[in-house]
Amino acid sequence: MKPSIALLMTSLCALPAAAEVYVAPFAGYSFAASEFDISNSASADTGQGKIAESENYGVMLGITTKDPGSVYLLYSHQATDLKGAGNFSPEIITSMDVDYFHVGGALYFPTQVLNPYVTTSLGLTSMRPGGGYSTETRFSMAIGGGFEYQATQSLALFAEVKGYATFVNADNALFCDGTGCIWNIQSDIMWQGQANIGASLKF
């Protein structure tokens, strides 16, 4: 037996008997993205840019813990635009898909009716612009909180708010095509908020 397979089997056997696997689809709205300074290397124009607010959706796959809490894998997708301000206003620079791939955990504080919780996660942000420009992937973190309502033994409904921080690094040339990099980003962190509702089904 390969060491990696043996380690995985050992980890699974070590899980508490009460642990349950769950899948939790969600949908919501991404908002309050931070502005960052941008410049066009072809025209020397400068201004500000930000990811436009729009709907998002995603899914979490996780397992409960005895804390009580959970650990999970998260995927979130937003189809939006990169909008300009300043000299670029009100131009839509390009369409853009923003995907989060995170590993996270949640800690619950059970009550008789609702179960409030806090959650944090880390992973990668993938920014995929239209127009043939390159996909950019950066490290990101998130923190948030919400409430869960246990409708049945296996079904729970939840609402939450999260803040994502993507580390884009200052003075980076991003979103390049075959002729070179068009936009230079002057920023360290890109902030974005999410408000979601969803359902968690345990197995």
Side-chain angles (χ1 to χ4, degrees):
M1 182 179 295
K2 294 182 179 181
S4 59
I5 298 177
L7 180 60
L8 176 60
M9 293 183 65
T10 302
S11 300
L12 290 174
C13 291
L15 291 172
E20 297 175 289
V21 175
Y22 69 90
V23 59
F26 62 86
Y29 195 75
S30 295
F31 61 94
S34 57
E35 290 188 350
F36 41 83
D37 295 329
I38 60 176
S39 60
N40 188 311
S41 57
S43 64
D45 288 336
T46 60
Q48 287 75 46
K50 65 181 298 184
I51 294 175
E53 298 183 356
S54 70
E55 298 80 7
N56 64 261
Y57 62 87
V59 65
M60 291 182 287
L61 177 63
I63 188 166
T64 60
T65 65
K66 62 180 181 180
D67 294 319
S70 66
V71 292
Y72 59 82
L73 300 174
L74 175 145
Y75 168 69
S76 174
H77 173 76
Q78 179 193 9
T80 183
D81 298 307
L82 178 63
K83 286 189 172 181
N87 291 338
F88 297 105
S89 181
E91 182 181 357
I92 294 177
I93 298 174
T94 182
S95 61
M96 181 176 291
D97 290 339
V98 179
D99 295 322
Y100 292 105
F101 302 90
H102 274 211
V103 178
L107 180 63
Y108 290 81
F109 305 92
T111 65
Q112 292 183 345
V113 180
L114 294 176
N115 299 323
Y117 64 89
V118 293
T119 181
T120 185
S121 63
L122 56 85
L124 298 174
T125 302
S126 175
M127 296 172 284
R128 296 181 288 119
Y133 294 104
S134 61
T135 296
E136 301 293 341
T137 302
R138 295 291 187 270
F139 176 75
S140 57
M141 301 177 64
I143 187 169
F147 293 90
E148 182 183 80
Y149 171 68
Q150 195 70 42
T152 68
Q153 185 174 358
S154 59
L155 177 65
L157 307 176
F158 65 89
E160 64 181 15
V161 175
K162 288 183 175 181
Y164 286 87
T166 299
F167 298 87
V168 296
N169 297 326
D171 268 343
N172 258 332
L174 301 181
F175 311 128
C176 305
D177 63 9
T179 62
C181 298
I182 304 301
W183 302 303
N184 294 309
I185 306 296
Q186 304 283 328
S187 180
D188 290 316
I189 300 175
M190 182 187 75
W191 298 94
Q192 190 178 38
Q194 273 190 5
N196 299 315
I197 58 173
S200 175
L201 183 62
K202 296 177 182 177
F203 300 95

